[in-house]
Amino acid sequence: MQPKKCTILSSLLGVYYLRSEGSIQPDLYKKKDMVFFHQSTDSQDGTKYGRLHFRLKYDFDRSDLVVHVIEALDLGTLSTKGFNDPYVKVSLIPEVDSKQRRTDIRRNCSDPFFNEIFKFPVTYDELADKSLLFEVFDYDRYSRNDVTGEVRIQMCELDITSEIEVWSEIQKSGRVSEYPIAYCVCA
């Protein structure tokens, strides 16, 4: 008796095994989220500033872009004082509202886990003309916050009708610094 042959199909969503009759049963396989690795081609000096991990999805019921900032890795030493207090500021450009969106500060951490979700009220048709900007900062209580780098995503490059997971290299930013988040006024 000869063993039955099974054909293997490869796809973006994983590997499927066909039954000997040749019919595929997609109900048996859980759909995996798409993972997208974004690397900018305009890195000026080739220096690595770390990686940013986030998810994107469009909520058609509420007309919102949902951004889930998950974590940053390999940020290295951000501050000249040797302390790493990173946070991420998220913007949609051109702006859709005046609300500022930023993660909490993670004290003394070069691999911060944020797990924070932000929503931008924007129609799906308007998204193609927008860029999503993640700016990674090192918080400094007494002076300007240092800019570690940025991740810029052109929304027309991605299909966010279903949730996608993105890993992106952090690139050097053109900005020098940002004023402290909270001011201490002494009289």
Side-chain angles (χ1 to χ4, degrees):
M1 182 174 211
Q2 207 156 345
K4 295 182 181 179
K5 284 187 174 181
C6 289
T7 308
I8 299 174
L9 285 179
S10 179
S11 73
L12 288 175
L13 300 177
V15 177
Y16 295 99
Y17 292 91
L18 292 180
R19 294 188 338 194
S20 58
E21 293 86 34
S23 63
I24 202 167
Q25 295 182 341
D27 298 348
L28 299 177
Y29 306 97
K30 182 181 180 226
K31 181 182 173 193
K32 295 180 183 176
D33 295 331
M34 182 181 286
V35 178
F36 179 69
F37 297 95
H38 178 262
Q39 186 170 4
S40 178
T41 56
D42 61 344
S43 179
Q44 294 97 356
D45 57 4
T47 306
K48 301 226 183 234
Y49 296 95
R51 293 175 291 159
L52 190 63
H53 182 201
F54 55 93
R55 285 190 189 111
L56 301 173
K57 183 180 180 182
Y58 190 77
D59 184 351
F60 286 96
D61 295 333
R62 297 179 189 227
S63 294
D64 284 340
L65 172 64
V66 180
V67 179
H68 181 187
V69 179
I70 301 169
E71 63 186 326
L73 294 176
D74 304 325
L75 294 180
T77 303
L78 303 177
S79 178
T80 55
K81 297 178 179 108
F83 297 109
N84 295 331
D85 301 326
Y87 70 93
V88 178
K89 186 175 172 183
V90 185
S91 309
L92 195 59
I93 301 172
E95 292 181 351
V96 293
D97 58 15
S98 60
K99 183 178 176 184
Q100 287 200 1
R101 294 159 178 91
R102 69 171 191 85
T103 64
D104 292 333
I105 298 165
R106 300 293 185 239
R107 302 272 184 204
N108 300 322
C109 188
S110 60
D111 295 324
F113 183 74
F114 297 108
N115 196 29
E116 296 185 41
I117 296 174
F118 305 99
K119 295 181 180 180
F120 292 91
V122 60
T123 65
Y124 185 76
D125 295 334
E126 293 173 342
L127 272 179
D129 300 328
K130 301 206 180 283
S131 297
L132 189 60
L133 177 64
F134 298 88
E135 294 175 292
V136 182
F137 290 92
D138 181 26
Y139 174 75
D140 192 337
R141 177 178 282 190
Y142 302 108
S143 64
R144 292 181 177 179
N145 298 325
D146 299 324
V147 179
T148 302
E150 68 180 31
V151 171
R152 188 177 298 262
I153 303 286
Q154 300 297 324
M155 295 307 295
C156 62
E157 295 176 358
L158 302 175
D159 177 18
I160 56 169
T161 54
S162 62
E163 185 173 83
I164 64 168
E165 193 166 332
V166 181
W167 280 94
S168 183
E169 297 287 331
I170 298 172
Q171 303 298 316
K172 183 153 179 74
S173 174
R175 290 181 66 179
V176 177
S177 60
E178 179 177 76
Y179 287 103
I181 296 167
Y183 290 96
C184 177
V185 179
C186 302

